[in-house]
Amino acid sequence: MKSFIDIPPDSHFPIENLPYGIFSTCDNPRCRIGVAIGDMILDLSLISHLFTGPVLKAHQQVFQQVTLNAFMSLGRSAWKEARSTLQTLLSDDPTLRDDPSLRARALVPQSAAKMHLPAEIGDYTDFYSSIDHATNVGTMFRGKDNALMPNWRYLPVGYHGRASSVVVSGTPIRRPNGQTRPKDDEPPVFGPCRLMDFELEMAFFVGPGNKLGEPISVRDAHEHIFGMVLMNDWSARDIQKWEYVPLGPFLAKNLGTTISPWVVTMEALAPFVVENYVQDPQPFSYLKHEDQYNYDIKLEVGIRSDGSDHVGTVCCSNFRNMYWTMKQQLAHHTVTGCNICTGDLLASGTISGPSEDSFGSLLELSWRGSKTVDIGNGATRKFLQDGDEVIITGYCQGNGYKVGFGSCTGKLLPAHPLQ
């Protein structure tokens, strides 16, 4: 495929991608749905009348909404039809190409746009599905022989997070104040988190939901998965260490979760599917699926210190390292009859690989603070410092093109002064 729009060679957004996002501009502050193509955004609110296929002709109004929720709720037939229409309009079809007035209004430079959260997120669930990450953390705290808890290979471990503090890329994150226990033989103290960390993750948005009491079968789970984003699930390690027994993460994780603004659809990712991670023991039947649902997504994390132009790469990982698939996560989440809703966000958990340079958090890279991590220009880190900007990027490599996610960035601000 070839678009009539010029696509830079290293663009994350060729015609093979076409991710969805929500944007506004100075001259039109209303949030609206756009599709990234090269360095431009195609404003779908201005071309909604061109979606005339058998599914979308009666639902053109979904492209006039201020979030993706209504569109995502329509299901895979609508998603596939929209993708086909967009690829036609952006390739050799004259409707948009040969209408300079419409083209001038509907194509907006990304540099002139402000990005917003792609969806209204009602609920957020964070899983713990990277076996290398779980093994690393378990080894640090329990030793190599007891690294994985007995349940880990039997079910996708997860917890319900805080949806209200999910923010779009570029939003600053403030270092939290909280209770910590720096010395195990002394009482806890209250103050700024000392061990602030990033977590390299990805997440998917739910399309159609399910009714309360009616599980989603692992065989049908793909019908409910719209697309994926990059994620940094910021983590206050010292707060977490003190609070997590017996109920798990709370204040250590609710301070903020950053996602990339562009949602890459599962149709765009389909060419990059790879073998699922070999699971031992075999999962229960409600979690078992034979079709491939893992993806070769190259991931990178960089840190830029305050005032520096240099971004030091600290991690190169890959989504294919995930032990539990998204289909299994969704099937497990709903096996009790739990109802999920359109726009719910389900995250992978930290994505680490088998090599040290692929560890997806500073907790692992510094091995609990026992060594330093080089971020370039003579600077090192064990954990994040105020003013640090964390930059996550990810893409799939095609034959002469990339299907990418853009970037997921956030800058760490100092904690509020104590009263």
Side-chain angles (χ1 to χ4, degrees):
M1 289 179 288
K2 183 173 176 58
S3 174
F4 70 84
I5 295 173
D6 184 43
I7 310 292
D10 286 335
S11 174
H12 279 203
F13 308 121
I15 196 170
E16 291 87 353
N17 191 351
L18 304 181
Y20 295 91
I22 302 297
F23 77 103
S24 64
T25 51
C26 290
D27 62 342
N28 184 358
R30 181 180 182 273
C31 290
R32 48 215 196 264
I33 298 176
V35 163
I37 178 73
D39 293 334
M40 308 296 286
I41 299 173
L42 178 61
D43 186 343
L44 300 195
S45 72
L46 295 178
I47 63 163
S48 60
H49 61 287
L50 299 179
F51 291 89
T52 56
V55 179
L56 289 171
K57 64 183 178 183
H59 298 284
Q60 294 174 349
Q61 74 279 3
V62 299
F63 298 114
Q64 301 292 335
Q65 305 304 308
V66 298
T67 68
L68 290 171
N69 293 61
F71 174 51
M72 293 193 298
S73 72
L74 296 179
R76 286 186 76 221
S77 58
W79 309 338
K80 293 172 73 173
E81 185 178 291
R83 178 174 173 81
S84 176
T85 298
L86 288 166
Q87 288 186 325
T88 298
L89 288 171
L90 290 166
S91 56
D92 55 2
D93 185 271
T95 306
L96 182 62
R97 183 194 63 195
D98 296 348
D99 187 337
S101 175
L102 178 59
R103 205 169 62 241
R105 289 182 292 119
L107 287 168
V108 177
Q110 289 192 35
S111 60
K114 178 182 179 181
M115 301 305 297
H116 304 268
L117 281 176
E120 182 178 347
I121 304 170
D123 200 6
Y124 161 51
T125 300
D126 190 27
F127 285 94
Y128 190 54
S129 293
S130 163
I131 192 168
D132 292 297
H133 173 67
T135 300
N136 288 340
V137 174
T139 299
M140 288 180 210
F141 291 95
R142 292 184 298 274
K144 186 175 181 180
D145 293 338
N146 298 299
L148 292 181
M149 298 297 283
N151 65 351
W152 200 92
R153 290 180 181 269
Y154 286 90
L155 57 83
V157 175
Y159 77 98
H160 290 282
R162 178 74 173 171
S164 63
S165 55
V166 177
V167 297
V168 73
S169 174
T171 306
I173 296 294
R174 190 169 292 279
R175 182 184 296 270
N177 288 306
Q179 288 190 31
T180 63
R181 193 182 187 187
K183 297 182 179 180
D184 292 340
D185 57 350
E186 294 182 9
V189 297
F190 179 79
C193 158
R194 296 174 299 107
L195 309 181
M196 193 67 188
D197 202 355
F198 68 82
E199 288 186 350
L200 167 62
E201 302 197 23
M202 298 194 74
F204 67 87
F205 276 104
V206 173
N210 61 308
K211 293 181 180 179
L212 180 65
E214 298 183 6
I216 293 174
S217 165
V218 71
R219 294 180 297 277
D220 300 327
H222 62 284
E223 300 285 349
H224 299 263
I225 300 174
F226 175 71
M228 300 180 69
V229 292
L230 303 172
M231 173 181 282
N232 180 358
D233 198 23
W234 303 80
S235 184
R237 299 297 185 187
D238 45 351
I239 294 176
Q240 183 173 355
K241 180 186 175 184
W242 173 236
E243 74 174 2
Y244 85 104
V245 179
L247 294 182
F250 184 31
L251 303 186
K253 303 302 288 287
N254 73 0
L255 58 112
T257 298
T258 306
I259 63 171
S260 55
W262 295 109
V263 185
V264 178
T265 64
M266 302 315 296
E267 285 75 26
L269 294 172
F272 308 100
V273 71
V274 293
E275 292 285 344
N276 302 331
Y277 203 104
V278 176
Q279 296 177 336
D280 182 23
Q282 286 287 308
F284 286 104
S285 59
Y286 82 95
L287 290 171
K288 189 178 294 186
H289 66 94
E290 302 301 329
D291 58 313
Q292 296 177 357
Y293 210 75
N294 200 5
Y295 296 88
D296 183 9
I297 306 172
K298 304 176 193 305
L299 300 167
E300 186 173 294
V301 182
I303 297 176
R304 175 164 39 218
S305 60
D306 195 22
S308 174
D309 294 329
H310 175 76
V311 178
T313 299
V314 296
C315 166
C316 294
S317 190
N318 196 301
F319 186 77
R320 71 188 305 162
N321 293 320
M322 301 302 296
Y323 186 90
W324 295 103
T325 70
M326 291 178 283
K327 293 183 67 167
Q328 291 173 318
Q329 291 168 348
L330 190 56
H332 184 67
H333 199 310
T334 64
V335 72
T336 59
C338 172
N339 55 318
I340 59 165
C341 303
T342 298
D344 284 355
L345 189 66
L346 277 65
S348 61
T350 304
I351 304 168
S352 295
S355 60
E356 286 191 21
D357 62 351
S358 65
F359 293 171
S361 67
L362 283 172
L363 177 68
E364 297 164 89
L365 291 166
S366 73
W367 205 254
R368 206 179 175 186
S370 64
K371 57 185 178 181
T372 58
V373 179
D374 183 10
I375 65 169
N377 286 348
T380 60
R381 294 287 185 273
K382 292 184 177 180
F383 292 93
L384 295 173
Q385 295 183 7
D386 293 344
D388 284 349
E389 182 181 20
V390 179
I391 303 164
I392 299 175
T393 55
Y395 67 91
C396 304
Q397 183 62 60
N399 185 13
Y401 68 94
K402 293 178 179 178
V403 167
F405 293 79
S407 62
C408 174
T409 69
K411 187 171 185 176
L412 183 62
L413 302 181
H416 284 298
L418 299 178
Q419 299 298 318

